[in-house]
Structures are given as structure tokens and as C-alpha cells.
Amino acid sequence: MLKSIILSSVTFKFMGNYFRKIYEGVMLMEVEVSRRKFLQGTVAMSVVGATALSTTNLLSNEHGTAGHAHGHSSVTTKTSTGEAENVPFLCGICVNKCAGFARVEDGVVTKLNPNPYFPKSRNMLCARGNAGIQTMYDPDRLKYPMVRIGERGDGKYKRVTWDEAYEAILNGTDKFKGLKQILDEEKDNRATIAYCNGEGLSKEGFEVLVGEKLGSPNYVDEISICLETTLGGYVNTIGTYGEADLNNADYLICAGANRAEAIITPDTMDLFKRSKGRGLKTIVLDPRFTNTAAKADRWYAINPGTDLAFVLALTYVVFNENLYDASFMKKHGVGVEDYKKHVISKGYTPEWAEKITNIPAKEIYKTAREFMAARSPIYYQGRRSVFSKNDFQLRRAMAIFQGLSGNLDKKGGIVYGQKLALPKEEINAPMYAQVEGRFDKEGIAIPAQKTGSWIVLRNMVLEGKNPYPLRVMMMRKHNPMSGVPNTKKTEEFLRKMDLNVMIDILPSDTTMFADVILPEASYLERTSPVATYGGLEPAIVQRKQAAKPLFETKEPEVIYKELAEKLSKPLWEITKKYDEDVQDDTEGMSEKEIEAYYEENGFNLAEPWEKPVHEQNEERITKAFGKEAWEILDEKGVYYPNIEKYHKQLSVNEYQYYPENKKNYTTKKDALKVVCNFKNLAKKGIDPMPAWKDEYNFSVPQGQFRLITGRHAQFTQSGTTNNMMLRDLISTNYIWINKRVAQKQGIEFGDVVEVKSNIGKVQIKAYPTEKIAPNQIFMLHGFGGSSEGMEMAYDNGANDALLIEDKIEPVYGAAVMHETNVEIRKV
């Protein structure tokens, strides 16, 4: 195998197939997985280490041997019948955070089993959850701290110690500047630092480190490329996103939410075990005929981006025929009569909507009447990214329509639930006088002070519109090269930075543009801060470390602490140099008094992590619920009041968590509000009530196609595309194209086609089908990796972010995913 040879360095230059020999030694990864055993959770994997590996290879450890970091010459994760420890964990593969028990044999995780004590996951682990073991034992995972010695993107890194990596972040190298020099040149303006973060239980700690302690206001959260408008629309209309009680509903409209394919959780099971004439009448709206559509009572092939017109037409029927719960809205509604007048006067009739949505008017009338006649109807909120520029108003209209049924805060509706409160953690955040405010506000009505807009921040920097230099990007478990529309601009943005730091588990596409890489332990190798999950059946959960971190990886909280310790005093000197407030406060003080001022005013950056996570967890739970609660949580991974009294096994795989009369169906009561007319929005240039505009109409030029994207339940965006167990289930992504259109172009199944938009192009295999309209195409998100360090993901399929134009919706500046037109040709 050819490699770039660099003395004392690591380079991501992999060739050959996955089951490979490495010339510095031999490492054979054998995987024994059948689909049946995999889905049952009975997964076997063997790693056999032979001769010593050179330190120029990422697959080697500090001892120069393959496999386990603690000196074992070989490690097997094949489950045995011998003694084992069962350690409670929370899955880290997706946002759902299902609970499980890790079977650990001689320090090795050999199997993952579901945890029957957590109400949220109900003794279930999906395919991804079962395959989570591979995250820990992925041969391509990051193993050591590394510092860039080549050019950004070429994968050339030097293996260093942790202290050397922290030193490089502070003082830089001959290849890049460090934080100390940058902040000195910027006169302690901490806003020169931007940061982004992936989802997870250690997310808040990174926000504390960079946002609260280092003092950066420029945070671009992953929510701006996810469901920001959904959350904002619902919270600003009914006060919550809420929990859809699908187990007790009898009518469901599921629009653009492909639950049968995109995410498999207990509430997905609630939906499909009762659809098709079994108690939950299900109406699906989706441009494609998905598996969810196949399991519905009715499917409407709606034009992309026109859901708002559909909901407005439903609302017209309900108002015009007085079908809504008038007494409920009189008590809880705000601006109901204004909204009624608005919808009627605008003429949002089903006949009007038919021309826009592609849904027959008679079907809209029928759906509106059925919904309001049902005992417990739900218009499902959805849990995915922004469809179109009208997405905020769509979610507002959906929430109002749900309110018109009166089916809020009650059994079978959207419930508010309860949350078990944990003691607040006080952060002693320093005040930096020199820091300037965030600037990513262009084209946004309501700029989010914390979460920001990825696209707006990136584009303003590239266009030179930032009012001060943005020079540092601190990143953790986030892959904007794959997730943020217009990958070329993201690459240009990352190349423009003076310093890029990445904390991650795998060498993602974005990691290749980091100057310093800090390898994070996988979720099975760490104890995480306790979390509380609200809803019908609230619970507190804890992830415990199942096995010691492999190689030289470290738990995220340890990284935060150690990096903070390295940065604290040198950056404090810069603050003293430029911060006039600090200078005034410390004038005339002795060294001892200045040291006390440093501690008391939060300039000790490492202070939040003085105690280990497990110890902090024990203190918080004991303070809130007592010692017995902590012992239960530490043993079972789950705690809620009366768990030992309430929790019962009812059948082979069915459990009671709370008695029916203890579930939190109704909690808001008189405090519930449905805001139909949000007058303050008008001051921001946003319609105070959901309204349709001609610019929202669906239109595709002749010879082009509207690109729509989605995800699959076996993959979490790009985060799992290197997981060989999951790749066995779905090897790559395809482009869905209408079968008749494909025939005219001579395109057959498996043919390679070029898909081209205004900003980029990709090559991908074709999947001709009648399940999609002639003027639309579809592809799964999360494929087409560009990092050669991830051999299973590299160059496999196509990256949709290379095609999707960087458009934003006008309320929060969230990325719009379904407004890009493309051309296709056979290669």
C-alpha cells in the first residue's frame, strides 16, 4: 500500500479494501455478522494483532501493537458465556438517547442490550444502537493527539503528546498561529473565536469552555442546519414542541416525517402498530412514496415546500364550517378572530390549495372534517431540517391547527408533560471588556443570540462583511463539510481561519481541515453528565463508562479541563494587558490579591471541571433526590420517583413505568396559550399570522428537477457512515429518479449519473422508480465522504451538501434544504 512517508508523523493516505494488510505490520479485522444476529443485538467482532505497527500508522497504539490500548496483543468482542459486568449506558449514536446495558468481559465491550428501566426507550435498541459498539472498535478512529504539518486538507499530521497538542493550540507552530498570538493581535477581543458543536451529553461542557469561559459569543449550533424553525414555531405558538401521544391518538397527519425509514424508536412503533385500520387513522404527506406512505391509510404526493398552503386550506375549512373547538380557543386562544378573518379573507380554500400542492380539493375537505371529528387527532410536529423558506410559518400554522382541535395538554394529543428538576450548575463566567458582539444577523429577523446561523456567519466572513476579524474555529463532533449546504464555501471558510481545532472520535471530512486534532473517547468509554428527560413519564438517566478509553483518547470533560488549564494563565495575561476594567480593578493589588481576583472573577478557565463527572453526578442527584435515588441511578442508569414501586414487567417485552393515573397528560391547564396573531413579529418584518406568498409556489424549470433529501434510520447523518456493521445494511446512497424520465434519458438502475446544481456537482448511482414525481429527485444525506481517513465512508456515494444552495429562511437564518433545482445526465 502506497503511503506518504513523513518522519514521526501520521498521514491519512489509505488505499486498498477494508480488510487490508498494512506494510508496517499486519492487522486483520474480521467481522462475523449476520443480518438476523445483528438485528437481535448478537454481534461478534474480532480484532487480531500480529507484528508491531509503526507509529506512522493511525491504527497503532502507544506500545506499537494492534488492538487494545492496555497492552493486549489481541482483543475479541465476541460474546462468551462467562462472567460479565453489565454497565448502564446511554446510546450516543443519535439524539434519541436510548438506554442500554453494555456487556463487558475482561474490560472489553462484547454486546449492547436495551435497558428496560427507561420510559423513553422502552427496552429497545435500534440497528444503529446495536452497531454502536463499532464506534468504539472502529479501526479508523482517532487514536492520538495530532498537529498539522502539511497543508490544510491533505491529511498530513504529526503524532504528539496531549501537552504538545495543547501547547500548539496556545502558541501555534510554524504552520499556524496559536490562540495567545491571535488574541494579543486582536487586543483580547474574544469574538475572534467562533465555535460549533455536535449533539450529545457533553455538548454543554464545550459551550461552557468556549462560550462562557473563553468568552466567545460566536456559536453556530447544529440546530441552524436542523429543526430550528420547528422548535421556534411551536414554542412561540403553543409554548412547547411537546410530545405527541401517538399511543392514544386516533387520527394522525404525518407530513414530511418518514418515521418508518428515518428513525426507529418506541413512538415509531406506537404509530405503526395501530395504523391501517387498527385504531390510528394515518394520513401521510410526502413527495415520495415512502415506507411510511405505504403503511398509511392515505398518501398525498404533495409538491415540495407547499405544506403551508395545505394547512391554511385545512384551517379555512375548519373556520368556514365552524368545526373547531370554540370553547377551548376562547379560553386559550390569542388573536383567534384575527386569524379567522385573515384565513377567510385571503381565500385559502381547498380549491386554491389544490393548484399549489397537487392535492385534490375534495381530499383537503375530507381531511379537515375527519381531523376535527376525531376524538384525539394529532398533526405530527416533525423532527427534521427546514424544508423551505416558509418553514417557520408552516410550523406556526400546524401548531394553531392542532390548537383548533382542542387536543392539547391531554391524553391522545400533544402533551406538555413534566421534567424532573436537577440542581442548576452555576458557571463563574468572566467578563471580558474587549469582546464584541456576534454579527451573523444579515437577512435574519430574529437572530439567535446563542445558536446563531451557520450559513450567515460563514458567508459574511467570506464576503468580508464581518465587523472584526474572525480567526479561530473551535469544533467538536460536528461535520459542517457534510452538513452545511455549499461545501465549497465551508472549505473556503475553514481555510481562511488562522487556527482550527477539532475534538472528535473519527477523522471526518471537517477534521481534515483542523490544525490540532484532539481524540475524544467514544460514548462507551466515558461517564457523562446526568440528564433529565421530561414528558409523559419523566426520568433522569446516567451514562457510565463501560470500558477504559482505547489508545490515547480522553473523555471530553477531561479534555476541557486540561485544555483550560493550559490556556488560563497565558490568556489571563493578555486580558490584563488590554482590559481596562481589569486594570482598574487590580490597580494597587498585591500578587496574592490579583490571584484571588483571578479565581473569584472566573478567569480560571478550568474551574467547572475540578471534580470528575461521576462525582458531580452523585452530588447533584443526592442533593435533589437523596442517597437512595443516587444508588438506584448508579445501578440501573435510570431514576424517577417511585421507580421500584411503579416499574413492572407486563409481558415478554412490555413494561409499566408509571401507573396510568400518574402519567403527566395534563400539566399546563389554564396557563396554556395558542398564539394565533403574534403581533410582535410584524415589528421584525415577519407576518404576524401564517400567510402564503407567491414566491413560495413550487416551480421547476424545464429539464431540471427539485432536489429533496432525507435520512435513513440506519445512519445518523455522516456520523455513522464509517460503521461497517451499518454499511452491511445500506452500502451507499442512490439518486431516486422517476422511472419514465430515466427511460427517456437511457438511465437504468445502478448507472452512474452526474447531478449538477448552480453551486456544484456529484456523481451517484441511479435508482429509477415510480415512487417519485417526474420533476423531483431524492438522495439520502450523509454519504460521499471526502476524508481518506474513513475508509468505509470515503468516496462512497454522494454528498448532498455539495449540491444544496446556501439559502436561509428569514426568521432565524436556518438552512433551507429543499429549494435547489438540479440537472441530471448519464455519465
Side-chain angles (χ1 to χ4, degrees):
M1 179 176 62
L2 300 176
K3 297 174 66 70
S4 297
I5 305 299
I6 301 171
L7 185 62
S8 299
S9 67
V10 179
T11 177
F12 295 119
K13 294 288 184 183
F14 293 139
M15 299 182 68
N17 61 32
Y18 194 78
F19 304 95
R20 63 190 183 275
K21 290 186 178 180
I22 299 172
Y23 288 146
E24 290 87 355
V26 178
M27 179 176 178
L28 180 64
M29 174 71 75
E30 297 178 343
V31 182
E32 307 168 24
V33 183
S34 75
R35 291 176 187 268
R36 181 181 300 276
K37 288 183 177 181
F38 171 67
L39 292 172
Q40 291 173 339
T42 310
V43 177
M45 182 179 74
S46 300
V47 180
V48 181
T51 59
L53 292 176
S54 127
T55 56
T56 61
N57 194 293
L58 283 180
L59 300 182
S60 65
N61 63 30
E62 63 181 325
H63 302 294
T65 56
H68 202 278
H70 307 293
H72 293 237
S73 61
S74 66
V75 174
T76 176
T77 58
K78 182 178 290 186
T79 305
S80 75
T81 57
E83 291 186 6
E85 181 183 7
N86 289 301
V87 181
F89 73 93
L90 281 185
C91 184
I93 294 295
C94 87
V95 69
N96 213 60
K97 297 294 171 288
C98 297
F101 284 101
R103 180 180 173 87
V104 183
E105 303 177 36
D106 192 25
V108 178
V109 179
T110 61
K111 189 175 184 293
L112 303 180
N113 294 308
N115 185 333
Y117 296 103
F118 191 24
K120 190 170 185 283
S121 56
R122 292 187 240 159
N123 201 39
M124 175 178 170
L125 278 181
C126 71
R128 284 181 301 172
N130 274 280
I133 194 171
Q134 176 61 15
T135 302
M136 181 175 176
Y137 296 113
D138 192 322
D140 291 339
R141 67 178 291 183
L142 297 169
K143 301 173 179 63
Y144 322 104
M146 292 181 287
V147 172
R148 178 171 65 84
I149 58 173
E151 300 305 314
R152 282 200 179 127
D154 69 6
K156 295 178 182 177
Y157 290 87
K158 178 183 178 181
R159 175 181 170 182
V160 297
T161 67
W162 277 94
D163 188 66
E164 288 171 332
Y166 298 143
E167 184 70 23
I169 294 171
L170 176 63
N171 290 315
T173 68
D174 61 342
K175 288 289 185 179
F176 55 88
K177 295 182 178 181
L179 264 178
K180 182 178 176 181
Q181 179 181 351
I182 293 168
L183 286 175
D184 194 11
E185 292 172 354
E186 296 303 322
K187 296 179 170 55
D188 204 37
N189 176 18
R190 302 304 177 101
T192 197
I193 304 169
Y195 65 113
C196 63
N197 201 357
E199 181 277 329
L201 297 181
S202 295
K203 176 178 182 175
E204 289 185 4
F206 190 66
E207 293 169 0
V208 168
L209 173 64
V210 188
E212 300 288 342
K213 301 299 278 186
L214 280 176
S216 168
N218 287 316
Y219 180 33
V220 278
D221 190 15
E222 43 88 21
I223 197 172
S224 73
I225 54 172
C226 193
L227 72 167
E228 186 165 25
T229 51
T230 300
L231 296 177
Y234 273 86
V235 169
N236 284 292
T237 305
I238 61 172
T240 184
Y241 171 80
E243 177 182 346
D245 182 18
L246 298 176
N247 205 41
N248 292 298
D250 64 346
Y251 195 95
L252 176 69
I253 298 176
C254 197
N258 186 16
R259 292 304 299 259
E261 294 175 76
I263 185 165
I264 308 300
T265 57
D267 51 341
T268 303
M269 301 296 102
D270 290 344
L271 194 167
F272 293 112
K273 73 185 180 184
R274 299 180 57 242
S275 63
K276 302 288 283 187
R278 290 172 290 183
L280 179 62
K281 191 164 190 176
T282 304
I283 315 301
V284 167
L285 281 71
D286 201 300
R288 297 184 301 137
F289 186 70
T290 62
N291 285 351
T292 304
K295 296 178 182 300
D297 294 274
R298 295 200 301 272
W299 165 61
Y300 298 134
I302 192 169
N303 284 329
T306 66
D307 293 62
L308 175 58
F310 175 77
V311 182
L312 289 171
L314 292 178
T315 306
Y316 180 95
V317 175
V318 167
F319 277 142
N320 194 51
E321 299 181 8
N322 290 314
L323 301 177
Y324 65 100
D325 190 332
S327 61
F328 179 88
M329 292 304 288
K330 182 178 180 180
K331 182 177 181 180
H332 300 288
V334 177
V336 182
E337 290 303 317
D338 294 340
Y339 190 51
K340 181 176 182 179
K341 181 180 179 181
H342 165 74
V343 171
I344 298 296
S345 65
K346 290 287 187 179
Y348 294 142
T349 66
E351 288 77 13
W352 162 83
E354 178 178 355
K355 300 172 185 176
I356 297 170
T357 63
N358 191 42
I359 300 174
K362 66 177 183 178
E363 296 298 321
I364 298 175
Y365 280 110
K366 182 166 134 182
T367 303
R369 292 164 182 164
E370 288 179 350
F371 190 92
M372 291 299 163
R375 180 196 74 248
S376 301
I378 291 177
Y379 201 121
Y380 181 65
Q381 310 99 301
R383 53 184 293 177
R384 60 150 295 159
S385 56
V386 176
F387 294 159
S388 60
K389 289 181 180 178
N390 63 44
D391 206 85
F392 175 79
Q393 297 291 12
L394 165 63
R395 306 304 168 174
R396 288 251 300 128
M398 290 164 57
I400 294 170
F401 187 71
Q402 181 70 40
L404 291 172
S405 72
N407 199 30
L408 290 172
D409 197 35
K410 62 193 293 189
K411 185 175 181 177
I414 292 179
V415 299
Y416 293 71
Q418 288 281 23
K419 197 174 227 183
L420 300 175
L422 290 172
K424 290 185 178 180
E425 295 180 285
E426 300 295 333
I427 304 299
N428 187 14
M431 301 291 290
Y432 297 102
Q434 297 297 99
V435 68
E436 297 191 42
R438 66 180 311 144
F439 59 82
D440 54 337
K441 302 176 182 180
E442 187 175 75
I444 304 175
I446 310 175
Q449 286 305 306
K450 182 176 181 181
T451 56
S453 168
W454 239 117
I455 287 179
V456 175
L457 180 127
R458 179 196 68 188
N459 289 1
M460 288 185 71
V461 170
L462 294 179
E463 294 165 12
K465 295 179 179 179
N466 43 313
Y468 50 81
L470 192 74
R471 302 175 60 184
V472 180
M473 197 69 202
M474 305 283 286
M475 301 173 282
R476 177 186 171 269
K477 283 192 65 185
H478 191 35
N479 189 13
M481 287 288 289
S482 175
V484 179
N486 201 329
T487 300
K488 289 181 181 178
K489 284 188 179 180
T490 303
E491 179 176 338
E492 184 183 354
F493 171 81
L494 292 173
R495 289 188 183 279
K496 194 177 180 69
M497 296 296 105
D498 285 321
L499 174 65
N500 291 324
V501 177
M502 174 63 85
I503 302 172
D504 212 338
I505 298 170
L506 288 164
S508 71
D509 301 350
T510 305
T511 301
M512 294 298 94
F513 292 88
D515 301 308
V516 180
I517 299 173
L518 305 178
E520 181 176 297
S522 71
Y523 69 91
L524 292 170
E525 300 165 297
R526 62 179 186 242
T527 296
S528 297
V530 289
T532 177
Y533 287 89
L536 275 175
E537 300 173 294
I540 291 169
V541 286
Q542 178 184 227
R543 170 193 289 146
K544 288 183 70 174
Q545 184 184 72
K548 297 291 184 182
L550 293 176
F551 305 101
E552 293 177 14
T553 64
K554 292 189 177 185
E555 298 165 72
E557 288 75 19
V558 173
I559 297 174
Y560 305 157
K561 180 178 185 291
E562 292 179 348
L563 179 56
E565 288 172 339
K566 173 64 71 171
L567 300 178
S568 281
K569 284 299 178 69
L571 299 191
W572 164 237
E573 293 301 318
I574 293 173
T575 296
K576 289 194 296 181
K577 182 177 178 180
Y578 295 105
D579 195 314
E580 293 182 359
D581 291 346
V582 170
Q583 292 168 4
D584 290 343
D585 289 347
T586 58
E587 186 177 2
M589 284 186 179
S590 66
E591 287 187 14
K592 185 176 182 180
E593 289 171 328
I594 291 175
E595 181 67 19
Y597 179 93
Y598 163 85
E599 293 286 347
E600 291 168 5
N601 289 277
F603 292 100
N604 177 0
L605 306 183
E607 171 266 330
W609 301 282
E610 287 179 350
K611 296 180 180 178
V613 173
H614 193 260
E615 185 177 332
Q616 291 186 39
N617 289 348
E618 181 176 3
E619 287 183 359
R620 295 182 75 195
I621 297 303
T622 303
K623 180 179 179 180
F625 303 101
K627 186 68 174 177
E628 184 180 357
W630 165 249
E631 292 172 351
I632 293 172
L633 178 65
D634 206 42
E635 176 192 352
K636 294 180 167 61
V638 181
Y639 170 78
Y640 52 87
N642 298 303
I643 181 173
E644 299 200 309
K645 177 182 177 182
Y646 292 167
H647 186 267
K648 297 177 182 177
Q649 184 169 4
L650 304 178
S651 62
V652 174
N653 195 35
E654 185 179 5
Y655 294 82
Q656 171 188 285
Y657 300 96
Y658 283 72
E660 187 68 16
N661 65 349
K662 297 295 182 180
K663 294 180 182 178
N664 294 280
Y665 290 116
T666 303
T667 57
K668 293 294 286 185
K669 300 179 181 177
D670 291 345
L672 191 156
K673 298 294 180 187
V674 180
V675 181
C676 302
N677 188 356
F678 196 170
K679 295 181 180 180
N680 285 339
L681 285 176
K683 299 175 183 177
K684 303 287 187 179
I686 302 297
D687 291 323
M689 294 178 286
W692 186 262
K693 298 179 180 179
D694 289 342
E695 66 187 77
Y696 299 155
N697 287 335
F698 175 72
S699 177
V700 180
Q702 185 69 29
Q704 295 189 11
F705 305 84
R706 177 62 56 87
L707 173 65
I708 55 178
T709 66
R711 49 164 286 184
H712 199 281
Q714 267 67 66
F715 287 96
T716 306
Q717 285 78 24
S718 62
T720 51
T721 52
N722 206 61
N723 189 307
M724 61 182 174
M725 296 180 180
L726 297 176
R727 271 294 170 85
D728 184 54
L729 302 178
I730 300 178
S731 59
T732 189
N733 63 344
Y734 289 77
I735 196 81
W736 285 40
I737 182 172
N738 181 270
K739 199 169 189 177
R740 287 160 288 163
V741 173
Q743 287 173 344
K744 289 180 182 178
Q745 295 193 25
I747 298 171
E748 297 182 356
F749 175 77
D751 284 348
V752 176
V753 298
E754 180 185 88
V755 183
K756 182 180 179 181
S757 73
N758 288 333
I759 65 160
K761 59 185 178 181
V762 301
Q763 290 191 356
I764 186 173
K765 293 180 179 179
Y767 172 58
T769 175
E770 291 289 356
K771 298 177 182 179
I772 195 166
N775 59 358
Q776 299 159 35
I777 61 170
F778 168 84
M779 64 188 292
L780 284 175
H781 170 67
F783 289 77
S786 61
S787 169
E788 296 182 38
M790 296 173 63
E791 190 162 344
M792 294 291 284
Y794 175 65
D795 201 25
N796 191 322
N799 176 7
D800 57 352
L802 285 164
L803 297 171
I804 300 173
E805 297 175 20
D806 44 333
K807 300 176 181 179
I808 61 168
E809 55 79 34
V811 180
Y812 300 114
V816 171
M817 301 299 185
H818 289 174
E819 292 196 358
T820 298
N821 294 325
V822 298
E823 299 174 351
I824 295 182
R825 70 174 182 87
K826 184 177 178 180
V827 176

